[in-house]
Amino acid sequence: METLVKKSRKQQIEEKATQLFQERGYSATSMRDLAQVLGIEAASLYSHIKSKEEILQKICFRMAGEFFNSWADVEKENGSMTAKMSKAMIAHVKVITQNTASSAVFFNEWRHLSEPFLTEFLSMREDYEGRFMQIIDDGVNSGEFKLVDQKFMMLTILSSLNWTHNWYNPSGTLSSEEIGDRLANLLLNGLKNQ
Amino acid sequence: METLVKKSRKQQIEEKATQLFQERGYSATSMRDLAQVLGIEAASLYSHIKSKEEILQKICFRMAGEFFNSWADVEKENGSMTAKMSKAMIAHVKVITQNTASSAVFFNEWRHLSEPFLTEFLSMREDYEGRFMQIIDDGVNSGEFKLVDQKFMMLTILSSLNWTHNWYNPSGTLSSEEIGDRLANLLLNGLKNQ
DNA sequence: GATATACAAACTAACGTTCGTTAGCAAACC
DNA sequence: GGTTTGCTAACGAACGTTAGTTTGTATATC
């Protein structure tokens, strides 16, 4: 009850910062901008946070966690690689569409992380991408998928999925699941008839 | 001959700026950074350019021009919508892969344009996207394509194509045309066998 | 002699952050 | 019950630095 009504100041800061980082980018958002939308002075922010970059770190690694958590469901899939890939895509899109602002920051602003966070971030990304490549590889070996370059395929699939945060409308007609489903359908079966 | 050997200072500035904007982002790149990689003082840049944003404008609108020019070839296609879409994708990817740095700036930094450039940019983008949607619409009506939401389809296709600048390696084994061809193939026919 | 290109110096504005302080409030003490 | 103590969250002022840009001037080239 309390958590719904009364958000901690720190939480408010992170939410507004996410919005601003999405709209203007991390570098183009000043601490004074952020303070202004919260109705306080820039100095007051530092009663709650350590630094500007700390906010970015929180956003990026929280989202990374969301993506990894969503994978648990995918691993449960014991059917075809088609089914597994479909499940992976839907889970991935679900995370994005349920956090469009954070996703935008996650995808566009991670490069402003300083070391050692940057290295850790990239290593997590590599791990995650590898999981998609594994499904493709398995699907190719089982004959379900066409003979394709796994990396090329993974990059193409993820780029489609990762763009959804730019146009997804939570109050639109398409639900999160429907979008994931349509994307999986398109990428697996193509635009052409037959 | 001359153009290959001796580039004007202005041209050098734009090239180095493109690199830096790609690597660090527009806002995170300072005029002193730019001057340094050119081996001159920041003040000296202003003997050649009007402002920092002017560089960004040049990059963004030059790329926009490239995309529109590449469309001339597409319009010549008189065959199926499949053939036309394929041609459009290949042409689009060709522009990107032949200008990876400029493309990165074009796709990631356009939001830092000030008015009226921002509005003009967005209007050009809308026009360009509309051309892809038209092909999809025609293909659906002719029965070549599945019954799909044109906008959803256009967004998915373009997001795949527009990501190529992030991983394309000019000295790699895949040529620009091959990449366009593979992308077109995947998006039209899907990953699955049969 | 004009033009192009570079410079040093300086400008105003803004940056992220730190500082010392304070107002409000709740618990602890006499 | 009144006073003291400590905490939280805010403040204004200022820190040192960097931002984009302007000005005036010197050198080199045509």
Side-chain angles (χ1 to χ4, degrees):
Chain A
M1 198 66 159
E2 269 255 323
T3 49
L4 283 177
V5 176
K6 196 157 122 200
K7 285 171 187 163
S8 77
R9 204 49 153 162
K10 187 160 185 173
Q11 221 171 327
Q12 289 177 41
I13 290 173
E14 280 171 20
E15 279 177 25
K16 293 288 184 189
T18 304
Q19 276 180 35
L20 290 184
F21 291 171
Q22 174 191 21
E23 290 166 17
R24 313 177 188 181
Y26 175 76
S27 290
T29 301
S30 76
M31 295 303 271
R32 285 169 181 83
D33 290 340
L34 176 56
Q36 199 182 17
V37 303
L38 287 159
I40 60 175
E41 291 299 315
S44 311
L45 293 168
Y46 291 85
S47 297
H48 308 275
I49 57 155
K50 286 221 307 280
S51 66
K52 184 185 181 186
E53 205 198 301
E54 188 202 33
I55 307 176
L56 181 63
Q57 288 160 13
K58 284 267 172 65
I59 299 169
C60 289
F61 286 95
R62 185 176 48 74
M63 281 307 295
E66 299 261 355
F67 284 117
F68 278 111
N69 286 340
S70 80
W71 198 262
D73 233 29
V74 178
E75 286 297 357
K76 283 186 201 141
E77 177 63 47
N78 289 318
S80 64
M81 284 306 122
T82 305
K84 190 166 184 180
M85 177 59 93
S86 202
K87 211 160 193 175
M89 291 194 207
I90 291 168
H92 187 84
V93 168
K94 196 167 187 175
V95 172
I96 294 173
T97 51
Q98 284 176 355
N99 308 268
T100 52
S102 296
S103 293
V105 177
F106 176 83
F107 289 125
N108 301 323
E109 311 299 334
W110 58 267
R111 63 176 154 178
H112 296 109
L113 291 170
S114 63
E115 295 295 358
F117 304 99
L118 183 60
T119 298
E120 192 190 343
F121 182 90
L122 290 174
S123 133
M124 288 175 91
R125 188 174 78 170
E126 200 172 358
D127 177 346
Y128 192 75
E129 289 177 348
R131 299 179 182 202
F132 272 85
M133 285 203 279
Q134 189 61 56
I135 300 182
I136 296 167
D137 203 32
D138 292 346
V140 169
N141 288 335
S142 75
E144 273 183 78
F145 296 162
K146 290 171 186 155
L147 189 61
V148 290
D149 179 346
Q150 330 153 19
K151 190 165 185 185
F152 170 84
M153 190 57 52
M154 174 274 289
L155 288 165
T156 304
I157 289 173
L158 281 183
S159 61
S160 290
L161 308 188
N162 291 346
W163 191 247
T164 48
H165 69 82
N166 278 303
W167 55 266
Y168 175 68
N169 180 7
S171 54
T173 54
L174 287 175
S175 76
S176 180
E177 286 84 358
E178 276 173 330
I179 288 176
D181 203 58
R182 287 193 186 194
L183 278 165
N185 206 334
L186 169 66
L187 289 163
L188 288 167
N189 301 311
L191 175 58
K192 260 174 84 177
N193 261 324
Q194 255 37 333
Chain B
M1 198 63 161
E2 268 256 322
T3 50
L4 284 177
V5 176
K6 195 156 125 199
K7 286 170 186 164
S8 76
R9 203 52 155 162
K10 187 160 186 172
Q11 222 171 326
Q12 288 177 41
I13 291 174
E14 280 171 20
E15 280 177 25
K16 293 288 184 188
T18 303
Q19 276 180 35
L20 290 183
F21 291 172
Q22 173 192 22
E23 289 166 17
R24 314 177 188 182
Y26 175 77
S27 290
T29 301
S30 75
M31 295 303 271
R32 286 169 179 82
D33 291 339
L34 176 55
Q36 198 182 17
V37 303
L38 287 159
I40 60 175
E41 292 298 316
S44 311
L45 293 168
Y46 291 86
S47 298
H48 307 276
I49 56 154
K50 286 222 306 282
S51 68
K52 184 186 181 185
E53 204 197 302
E54 187 202 35
I55 307 177
L56 181 63
Q57 288 161 13
K58 285 266 173 64
I59 299 169
C60 289
F61 286 95
R62 185 175 49 74
M63 281 306 296
E66 298 261 356
F67 284 116
F68 277 112
N69 287 339
S70 81
W71 197 262
D73 234 29
V74 179
E75 286 298 358
K76 284 186 200 140
E77 176 64 48
N78 288 321
S80 65
M81 284 306 122
T82 304
K84 191 167 183 179
M85 178 58 94
S86 202
K87 210 160 192 174
M89 291 195 208
I90 291 168
H92 188 82
V93 169
K94 196 167 187 174
V95 172
I96 294 174
T97 50
Q98 284 175 355
N99 307 270
T100 52
S102 295
S103 293
V105 176
F106 176 83
F107 289 125
N108 300 324
E109 311 299 333
W110 58 266
R111 62 176 154 178
H112 296 110
L113 290 170
S114 62
E115 295 294 357
F117 303 100
L118 184 59
T119 298
E120 192 191 343
F121 182 90
L122 290 174
S123 135
M124 288 175 90
R125 188 174 77 170
E126 199 170 0
D127 177 346
Y128 191 75
E129 290 176 348
R131 299 178 183 203
F132 272 85
M133 283 203 280
Q134 188 61 56
I135 299 182
I136 297 167
D137 203 31
D138 291 348
V140 169
N141 288 336
S142 75
E144 273 183 80
F145 297 161
K146 290 170 186 154
L147 190 61
V148 290
D149 179 346
Q150 329 152 23
K151 191 166 184 184
F152 170 85
M153 191 55 53
M154 174 274 290
L155 288 165
T156 304
I157 289 173
L158 281 183
S159 61
S160 291
L161 308 188
N162 291 346
W163 191 248
T164 47
H165 69 83
N166 278 303
W167 55 267
Y168 175 68
N169 180 6
S171 54
T173 54
L174 288 175
S175 76
S176 178
E177 286 84 357
E178 275 173 331
I179 287 176
D181 203 57
R182 288 193 185 194
L183 279 164
N185 206 338
L186 168 67
L187 290 163
L188 287 166
N189 300 313
L191 174 59
K192 260 175 81 179
N193 261 325
Q194 256 33 335

